[in-house]
Amino acid sequence: MVHIRWQALIAVLGIVFLGTLLAYFAFGLSTVAQADYGGTYIEGIAGTPNIVNPLFNQFNPVDRDLSALVFNGLTRADERGVIKPDLARNWDVSPDGLIYTFTLRSDITWSDGAPFSSADVVYTIQTIQSSDYPGLSDIAALWRTVAITAVNPITVRMQLSQPFAPFLDYTTIGMLPSHLLQDVSAADLPTAQFSRQPIGTGPFILQELTTEGATLVPNPRYFGQRPYLGTLQFVFYRDYESVLAAYERGEVEGISQVTPELLHQARQLEKLDLRSAQLAGMTLVFFNNSQPQFQDKLVRQALLYGMDRQKIIDTVLQGQGLVGAGPILPNSWAYDDALKKYPYEPELAGELLEQAGWQDLDKDGVREKGEQKLAFTLTANTDDPTRARIAQQLADDWKKIGAEVEVQLVPRTALVQDALRPRKFDAVLFGITQLPADPDPYALWHSTQTPDKSDAGQNYSGWENSEADDLLQQARRTTDLAQRANLYRQFQMIFMEEVPAVVLYYPVYTYGIDQRLRGVQLAPLLDPSDRFRNISQWYINTRRVILSEANARPAPTPLR
């Protein structure tokens, strides 16, 4: 019996040991799915390409999409607008803020194998400086004040004529290869073959481009993280409605932008993921500060308190907006979160109007001050149905606090040329897009920037405030980010107290992608093309790896 009990004990111990061993191997050999190389992602885009060249792509969002994948600048802007190294490894700024010395990365080649060097930087900038450069005049005007010198193959010196802190933002423009284009004039560059078959330093190579679509493949010489995708295809459509219909038919797997009008329809698609991020821009109501009814800041504050901006965002924009919080974007390094806030408070709006002397003594629903009624015209863009609806909602809101507002709809061209620039308006609903990475608001709010004083000026309100002027000028002269942030903080406080205009909302961009595409991350965007910021980490294919090995693998190489 003792012998039998020992055999039983040994058998039990053996079973326990075997179970433990199997459990160990099962745990050690558990697998997980990880990103793998290969696969094709097809995206539908509204529009057609024109010039795939970073010196001219400001006119066409499709060109900017393609350029973002093919080219790099000396620097790049992150989601907070902070300028970071790209083709340049680093840079130094002289104490007087006049000389910028860039040290280039030494490990970069163009996609055709030629080395990238200071000669390419000099060629690119001198092309913009050329008298026959057909690109944006404000970009050319800035660069023509800069003296550029190639110190050696990996060092470039740029000397400004006066301190200009936003200068680094201009160095984000894509660089061009001098070895291919040195004999091409600036005037001929937009129509050159290069602008349809570009050579760049970016993560992708434009393999094929037609009016119907584009095919891109990973650049094997790219200096950053190797993209997982094996092929990236764009299909061009007439408009966003056509892109959404193409997704429903299975022709594409991504929608370059889902507009507010299409959101309800897009939300019904089970396999379509919608990703949203703030877009660099703002929609404002400019008050003509020279008009009698807008000369008192209490009236302007009351009109702001009397706007139900969240309702506009929820109902008209389908949630695709963020309530405006000031003249600097809230994701910017220069934004002050402690700013005075103006929630929807119609009762407070009425109290402020009473303080300013506007009363409705005859009880007709419209306030008066002496012989003058609180009445004005709000002009908006007739080409945009959304703007028309917003304008009418504002008129309805202001009626509740005793203001009589007539909505006037005019074509966009007339809005700019006949109303804004000559400042022949009471109030205008207007959107500003493609705000630069640098938060410098000088052109919009400095007293010298009214259209009659500056061709590029956008101070349509005609706001004049000497203290704000001084702060904006100082912020342009200092390159210290902390000092600039403090100056802009003081400027924002003055702006939100004076309310020369109302920042109605900041737009939100929505990207539609099929669930099979993974790794997409959206942060605040300067332009819709910034959706490709982390494209090297996008993937479709996966592979199974042992869990223990996956945990031991080093983190992937970050995207530049």
Side-chain angles (χ1 to χ4, degrees), residues 379-388 407-415 429:
T379 306
N381 179 6
T382 190
D383 303 324
D384 186 343
T386 299
R387 290 281 166 77
V407 174
Q408 178 186 49
L409 301 178
V410 299
R412 178 181 171 83
T413 302
L415 181 66
L429 176 65

Side-chain angles (χ1 to χ4, degrees), residues 370-390:
E371 298 298 319
Q372 185 181 7
K373 283 192 170 187
L374 184 56
F376 58 92
T377 298
L378 175 62
T379 306
N381 179 6
T382 190
D383 303 324
D384 186 343
T386 299
R387 290 281 166 77
R389 291 178 61 196
I390 292 173

Side-chain angles (χ1 to χ4, degrees), residues 255-300:
I255 302 171
S256 62
Q257 184 169 357
V258 180
T259 59
E261 298 80 8
L262 299 174
L263 267 176
H264 178 73
Q265 182 180 349
R267 286 169 177 155
Q268 310 308 310
L269 302 175
E270 183 180 351
K271 295 185 178 180
L272 182 67
D273 279 344
L274 299 177
R275 310 287 181 88
S276 296
Q278 180 190 321
L279 189 60
M282 58 181 68
T283 293
L284 310 95
V285 175
F286 287 106
F287 298 130
N288 189 335
N289 288 197
S290 63
Q291 297 289 72
Q293 63 267 45
F294 298 127
Q295 290 179 1
D296 189 335
K297 75 175 182 180
L298 291 178
V299 174
R300 302 192 297 268

Side-chain angles (χ1 to χ4, degrees), residues 424-446:
K424 294 181 179 179
F425 64 88
D426 294 334
V428 166
L429 176 65
F430 191 70
I432 297 177
T433 60
Q434 288 184 260
L435 288 172
D438 191 278
D440 175 30
Y442 183 93
L444 279 167
W445 308 116
H446 195 276

Side-chain angles (χ1 to χ4, degrees), residues 104-119:
L104 309 181
R105 293 178 60 128
S106 57
D107 59 345
I108 297 175
T109 61
W110 296 95
S111 59
D112 65 356
F116 169 76
S117 74
S118 58

Side-chain angles (χ1 to χ4, degrees), residues 167-425:
F167 171 68
L168 279 176
D169 187 27
Y170 288 78
T171 64
T172 61
I173 195 165
M175 295 290 108
L176 299 179
S178 60
H179 70 284
L180 296 176
L181 299 172
Q182 57 189 348
D183 296 326
V184 180
S185 69
D188 292 335
L189 197 51
T191 56
Q193 187 66 23
F194 177 87
S195 294
R196 301 289 295 183
Q197 297 177 330
I199 299 297
T201 55
F204 283 85
I205 294 172
L206 183 56
Q207 189 177 68
E208 183 180 11
L209 180 65
T210 69
T211 55
E212 288 76 35
T215 301
L216 300 99
V217 295
N219 177 5
R221 296 185 173 91
Y222 180 50
F223 61 93
Q225 179 183 335
R226 172 189 170 190
Y228 284 116
L229 294 175
T231 306
L232 175 61
Q233 291 183 359
F234 292 146
V235 182
F236 305 130
Y237 293 90
R238 181 179 66 256
D239 49 39
Y240 293 112
E241 292 84 352
S242 301
V243 178
L244 181 57
Y247 176 83
E248 293 181 291
R249 294 192 300 268
E251 295 175 4
V252 300
E253 299 162 307
I255 302 171
S256 62
Q257 184 169 357
V258 180
T259 59
E261 298 80 8
L262 299 174
L263 267 176
H264 178 73
Q265 182 180 349
R267 286 169 177 155
Q268 310 308 310
L269 302 175
E270 183 180 351
K271 295 185 178 180
L272 182 67
D273 279 344
L274 299 177
R275 310 287 181 88
S276 296
Q278 180 190 321
L279 189 60
M282 58 181 68
T283 293
L284 310 95
V285 175
F286 287 106
F287 298 130
N288 189 335
N289 288 197
S290 63
Q291 297 289 72
Q293 63 267 45
F294 298 127
Q295 290 179 1
D296 189 335
K297 75 175 182 180
L298 291 178
V299 174
R300 302 192 297 268
Q301 289 178 353
L303 291 172
L304 179 46
Y305 276 122
M307 304 165 80
D308 194 345
R309 294 179 288 170
Q310 190 60 58
K311 181 180 178 181
I312 289 173
I313 291 169
D314 293 340
T315 59
V316 181
L317 300 177
Q318 298 295 306
Q320 300 303 285
L322 300 172
V323 172
I328 290 179
L329 299 178
N331 62 291
S332 171
W333 55 265
Y335 175 70
D336 181 10
D337 192 46
L339 287 176
K340 180 178 182 178
K341 302 297 191 294
Y342 287 83
Y344 178 51
E345 294 188 19
E347 294 82 7
L348 178 55
E351 293 173 9
L352 291 173
L353 290 173
E354 292 282 341
Q355 291 179 36
W358 293 91
Q359 298 177 317
D360 183 15
L361 298 177
D362 57 7
K363 305 303 180 182
D364 66 348
V366 181
R367 294 177 182 270
E368 304 90 16
K369 186 176 183 180
E371 298 298 319
Q372 185 181 7
K373 283 192 170 187
L374 184 56
F376 58 92
T377 298
L378 175 62
T379 306
N381 179 6
T382 190
D383 303 324
D384 186 343
T386 299
R387 290 281 166 77
R389 291 178 61 196
I390 292 173
Q392 189 56 57
Q393 180 64 57
L394 290 173
D396 293 344
D397 287 345
W398 286 330
K399 183 178 180 179
K400 296 174 184 176
I401 63 172
E404 184 178 68
V405 180
E406 177 189 355
V407 174
Q408 178 186 49
L409 301 178
V410 299
R412 178 181 171 83
T413 302
L415 181 66
V416 175
Q417 298 302 326
D418 301 335
L420 278 173
R421 294 209 62 78
R423 297 189 59 236
K424 294 181 179 179
F425 64 88

